[in-house]
């Protein structure tokens, strides 16, 4: 197979990175090993030998195992796959890497990056000429201070999910959408999860349509620590939230579970949500289409993009081998399509995404995702969540005055950022 980074080239990169021993305290499952003769018959380069430990969750295990088997056959290396609960990976990785007990590689989400880099547990990954083979937003999501820290494999974002039996299209503006939803004669013109604690993630494309992103972005797309959700644009969004709450279009009584259940029962032609909702709708026999999110504030409605990928242990003794595995075995069409089939998320590799986009649902989410922005993975984002959603919920419910509440939220977030940095 063609390799975009040779073992010799990756060795130069790996020599600059510090290393310690790597291991695991969790019961592993090991991919079948091949004999040296089998390996030498398929590889184009000298056998690397060595071993890797990779943390995966149950969803990703089979796809990673297939790539690992090919890697073993072609390099003579061995790979252990350690099954982990996805929710436990981040804290366990942060705890175990400094002790030398972490894996060489782990699956993870791009928005972990700020915490992982702050703790010094991940190393940059050299993608070589493979960098341009990925959707730009996927690489951007794993980039911090000019370096790429993850090999992306999947992209997800929200969009308008439309019940095709109740609506034949999605209008370009929010007001037109609400009007069309009301014409359908259903209980709700559109379903948007809010809940009593709010949902900044789901409401974000509507916020960006007012020109009030959370943080400023540099020319290369990376996030700065400068807040951008305040000022007159932020207040305009807050005022709009209050109006939507008063009109009953947005409501804190609509949680995620309620929104999904009501849409599955045909009580609204539209729901603002992601691909994780689709199995419920399919089970209910609802035929859906995926459409762009209409603008509420006159500017493009840009949702967050979430990117899944693989991180490299900053203290791994096997960074050369791990980089080879990622760039030459996980950044392939077969591997990324297999991960798509396992998890239902659009591949980050462009060629793989194009292959699965024959499915109109995938194509629809991908179209919306082309205008999406990465969820900020900078450490400062951790100071946003505690104030953001609850403020939105208070404004929607009428308990908080929009302008005063939004301005106080911005002040509180800035205070938390300043305190964390001091």
């Amino acid at each position: 197979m063609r390799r975009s980074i040779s073992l010799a080239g990756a060795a130069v990169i790996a020599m600059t990175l510090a290393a310690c021993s790597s291991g695991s305290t969790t019961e592993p499952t090991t991919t079948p090993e091949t004999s040296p003769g089998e390996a030498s018959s398929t590889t184009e380069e000298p056998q690397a030998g060595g071993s890797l430990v990779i943390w995966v969750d149950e969803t990703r295990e089979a796809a990673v195992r297939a790539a690992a088997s090919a890697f073993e056959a072609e390099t003579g290396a061995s790979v252990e796959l350690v099954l982990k609960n996805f929710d436990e990976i981040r804290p366990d990785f942060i705890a175990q890497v400094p002790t030398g007990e972490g894996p060489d590689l782990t699956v993870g989400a791009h928005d972990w990056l700020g915490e992982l880099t702050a703790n010094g547990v991940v190393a940059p990954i050299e993608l070589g000429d493979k960098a341009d083979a990925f959707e730009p937003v996927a690489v951007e999501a794993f980039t911090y201070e000019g370096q790429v820290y993850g090999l992306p494999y999947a992209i997800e974002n929200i969009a308008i999910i439309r019940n095709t039996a109740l609506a034949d299209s999605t209008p370009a503006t929010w007001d037109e959408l609400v009007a069309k939803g009301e014409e359908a004669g259903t209980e709700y013109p559109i379903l948007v999860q809010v809940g009593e604690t709010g949902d900044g993630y789901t409401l974000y494309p509507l916020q960006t349509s007012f020109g009030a992103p959370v943080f400023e972005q540099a020319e290369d797309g990376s996030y700065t620590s400068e807040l951008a959700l305040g000022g007159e644009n932020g207040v305009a969004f807050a005022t709009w939230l209050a109006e939507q709450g008063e009109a009953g279009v947005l409501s804190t009584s609509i949680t995620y579970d309620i929104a999904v259940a009501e849409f599955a029962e045909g009580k609204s032609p539209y729901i603002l949500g992601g691909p994780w909702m689709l199995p419920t709708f399919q089970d209910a026999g609802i035929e859906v289409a995926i459409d762009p999110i209409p603008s509420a504030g006159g500017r493009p409605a840009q949702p967050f993009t979430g990117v899944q990928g693989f991180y490299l242990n900053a203290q791994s003794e096997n960074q050369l081998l791990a980089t080879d595995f990622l760039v030459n075995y996980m950044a392939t069409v077969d591997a990324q399509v297999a991960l798509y089939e396992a998890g239902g998320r659009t591949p980050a590799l462009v060629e793989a995404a194009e292959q699965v986009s024959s499915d109109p649902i995938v194509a629809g989410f991908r179209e919306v995702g082309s205008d999406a922005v990465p969820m900020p993975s900078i450490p400062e984002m951790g100071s946003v969540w505690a104030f953001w959603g609850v403020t939105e919920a208070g404004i929607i419910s009428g308990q908080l005055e929009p302008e005063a509440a939004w301005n106080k939220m911005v002040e509180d977030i800035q205070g938390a950022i300043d305190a964390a940095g001091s």
Side-chain angles (χ1 to χ4, degrees), residues 203-214 223 233 237 295-304 371 373 388:
L203 291 172
Y204 192 63
L206 303 171
Q207 180 176 323
T208 58
S209 77
F210 282 86
V214 177
Y223 285 99
N233 291 343
F237 172 64
S295 174
R299 305 188 190 190
Q302 295 181 288
F304 278 137
D371 290 327
V373 292
W388 194 17

Side-chain angles (χ1 to χ4, degrees), residues 17-198:
L17 302 172
C20 315
S21 62
S22 168
S24 172
T25 57
T26 308
E27 184 67 24
T29 58
T30 307
T31 58
E33 296 186 359
T34 59
S35 67
E38 290 173 323
S40 62
S41 67
T42 56
T43 185
E44 294 179 1
E45 302 198 12
Q47 293 180 14
S51 62
L52 293 176
V53 176
I54 305 174
W55 283 0
V56 295
D57 62 338
E58 185 176 6
T59 301
R60 258 66 57 165
E61 181 195 11
V64 176
R65 182 182 299 281
S69 295
F71 177 70
E72 288 179 324
E74 296 193 12
T75 66
S78 62
V79 180
E80 285 186 352
L81 300 187
V82 180
L83 278 177
K84 300 280 290 185
N85 184 310
F86 192 81
D87 292 337
E88 296 174 355
I89 290 177
R90 175 167 40 174
D92 287 358
F93 192 77
I94 291 171
Q96 292 188 31
V97 166
T99 70
E101 296 297 321
D104 299 289
L105 297 167
T106 184
V107 296
H110 90 271
D111 57 312
W112 300 359
L113 183 56
E115 186 176 5
L116 297 182
T117 53
N119 283 277
V121 296
V122 288
I125 295 174
E126 176 55 60
L127 297 180
D129 62 9
K130 279 289 182 72
D132 293 336
F134 291 95
E135 299 283 5
V137 71
V139 177
E140 182 182 324
F142 277 107
T143 300
Y144 180 63
E145 294 186 344
Q147 294 184 298
V148 179
Y149 283 86
L151 188 287
Y153 68 80
I155 299 174
E156 64 183 18
N157 54 267
I158 61 174
I160 292 293
I161 303 175
R162 170 170 53 89
N163 184 329
T164 59
L166 298 175
D168 59 2
S169 64
T170 296
T173 71
W174 182 264
D175 289 344
E176 291 172 329
L177 174 72
V178 172
K180 192 172 181 66
E182 290 173 343
E183 290 173 3
T186 53
E187 185 170 344
Y188 309 95
I190 182 171
L191 285 160
V192 181
Q193 65 194 65
V194 177
E196 294 182 358
T197 57

